[in-house]
Amino acid sequence: MATKLGAAVHELRIHLSQTSAGSQGTRDWVLSTYGKLKQANPTLPILVREAENVKARIIARFDFGEERSVAVEGLDAAAVGKELEKLTSSKS
């Protein structure tokens, strides 16, 4: 997924573990998609936060400070992209 996210999305945060097997799909997704996503959304802050033994999660901040998140622990890279699409399209 490397599409332009909706205007309602003000920030995207990706939390993952550098070493856990459950975050492997998220790490793969970040490595393969971050550049394209940032190129399609140059002004959107996309924060990748790595911490040991944290469960993989994507958090989106929308208008008026509303935040929604989705757990992506154990998913492969394609499924992580689909979860992000669902998360960000729910407010667009």
Side-chain angles (χ1 to χ4, degrees):
M1 186 199 106
T3 59
K4 181 134 178 78
L5 299 178
V9 180
H10 291 281
E11 180 183 85
L12 196 60
R13 292 191 309 271
I14 303 157
H15 294 186
L16 55 96
S17 171
Q18 305 99 315
T19 57
S20 80
S23 288
Q24 184 62 50
T26 306
R27 286 193 304 272
D28 293 343
W29 180 84
V30 167
L31 289 172
S32 67
T33 309
Y34 175 85
K36 297 174 203 156
L37 185 63
K38 190 61 181 176
Q39 189 174 21
N41 303 277
T43 61
L44 178 69
I46 302 173
L47 311 168
V48 178
R49 299 291 185 238
E50 296 177 321
E52 194 167 341
N53 297 321
V54 70
K55 295 199 182 286
R57 175 170 293 284
I58 299 176
I59 302 133
R61 186 170 53 84
F62 298 96
D63 291 327
F64 307 110
E66 178 185 353
E67 290 189 357
R68 291 191 182 174
S69 68
V70 62
V72 291
E73 182 76 8
L75 300 181
D76 64 11
V80 170
K82 288 179 182 169
E83 288 299 318
L84 176 62
E85 285 181 28
K86 285 194 276 185
L87 178 67
T88 57
S89 67
S90 65
K91 289 291 286 186
S92 297

